[in-house]
Amino acid sequence: MSDISDKHPHVRGYGMAGSRSRTRLLQRLEALGVHDSRVLEAMARVPRHSFVDEAMTSRAYDDTALPIGYGQTISQPFVVAQMSTHVLAGATPPTRVLEIGTGCGYQAAVLAELVAEVYTVERIEALYDQARRRLADLGYRNVRPRLAMDGVLGLPNYAPFDVIIVTAGAARLPEALYEQLADGGHMIVPVGESASQRLALVRRQGDHFAVEYRDAVSFVPLIEGTR
Ligand code: SAH
């Protein structure tokens, strides 16, 4: 019998066990306080096992970060849920979102379930290539992956964005991205060293930017410059 994985090599292990562990993960996220049904439904639809190495598929629905090579990780599902909830938190539903730090593309796929257009920037070419192919194979036509050595510079040609989400820890607020926010838009960015990293929310009103610090998080570092 033909299997979905025949046509989509990245879609693996679509069996009962996979769907049971996915359901368990969603229950855990709810228990941890994720209540936005849009986010829970989006995460129920995205096959996280397609975003990790084959050797790691049995752990794909554990609520942990996992290595994806090149010293990088796929974010912990709870953190993806928190970030996605913040993305939707503005006064009006966002349509254009920019993500800095594509990694394996999982957060971009979750966002693609929630908003019309997702731009995502990655500096490691091999990860960019993999993510681009994987997202295309899974049918995410509304994600536009871009390779850029310094994602902190954003995508000025495609600005403004309703939301900018940075999925790597910045040493300081990436102010270069501020002007790529639409008026009324917001940015979500982890700031600080690993032990004391917090999610910063930056809201734009005209030329005024209000910064508020929220949840403690732990992201791999955002690399600045082109070294
Ligand atoms: N969003 C991912 C997790 C990303 S891990 C997920 O869905 O799981 C952080 C990623 O940011 C890494 O792949 C790293 O290479 C990338 N990164 C770090 N600094 C960057 C920069 N300045 N520009 C673009 N990408 C960057």
Side-chain angles (χ1 to χ4, degrees):
M1 204 176 79
S2 102
D3 185 74
I4 184 166
S5 53
D6 294 344
K7 276 190 229 111
H8 302 278
H10 296 295
V11 182
R12 296 182 304 258
Y14 231 82
M16 275 300 287
S19 77
R20 266 204 305 275
S21 47
R22 212 186 297 191
T23 305
R24 258 200 315 273
L25 172 61
L26 290 166
Q27 287 164 347
R28 176 179 157 85
L29 295 179
E30 279 195 88
L32 287 173
V34 180
H35 297 307
D36 192 319
S37 57
R38 295 167 297 179
V39 171
L40 291 167
E41 281 161 24
M43 291 183 67
R45 284 193 293 271
V46 179
R48 190 169 185 259
H49 62 266
S50 301
F51 291 84
V52 298
D53 281 352
E54 200 142 12
M56 220 85 72
T57 37
S58 66
R59 297 171 62 198
Y61 296 97
D62 291 356
D63 188 25
T64 54
L66 293 169
I68 56 169
Y70 310 91
Q72 308 303 325
T73 55
I74 178 172
S75 297
Q76 179 192 351
F78 176 58
V79 172
V80 171
Q82 275 180 310
M83 297 289 269
S84 306
T85 304
H86 286 311
V87 166
L88 299 179
T92 47
T95 57
R96 288 162 59 80
V97 173
L98 169 65
E99 177 193 35
I100 313 296
T102 313
C104 62
Y106 177 67
Q107 171 78 72
V110 172
L111 292 175
E113 297 277 355
L114 294 166
V115 307
E117 241 183 328
V118 180
Y119 290 83
T120 181
V121 178
E122 172 57 51
R123 69 189 297 275
I124 299 177
E125 189 164 6
L127 290 177
Y128 156 79
D129 276 338
Q130 266 176 28
R132 190 173 46 81
R133 250 180 290 128
R134 186 180 274 140
L135 289 162
D137 283 352
L138 290 169
Y140 288 107
R141 287 181 229 296
N142 58 337
V143 183
R144 321 228 181 280
R146 293 283 182 271
L147 178 67
M149 275 312 280
D150 197 356
V152 180
L153 303 177
L155 293 175
N157 295 345
Y158 299 94
F161 301 97
D162 302 312
V163 178
I164 299 177
I165 160 181
V166 183
T167 61
R172 58 193 115 88
L173 287 166
E175 293 184 6
L177 292 170
Y178 282 20
E179 63 186 34
Q180 293 178 37
L181 279 174
D183 194 7
H186 65 287
M187 169 157 68
I188 304 141
V189 50
V191 179
E193 296 299 318
S194 50
S196 56
Q197 213 177 66
R198 300 196 80 82
L199 271 190
L201 260 64
V202 182
R203 288 196 183 75
R204 177 173 199 167
Q205 289 302 338
D207 288 330
H208 182 73
F209 297 89
V211 184
E212 193 189 321
Y213 287 89
R214 305 288 280 271
D215 329 64
V217 284
S218 174
F219 281 86
V220 295
L222 181 74
I223 310 293
E224 279 189 65
T226 50
R227 65 191 148 104

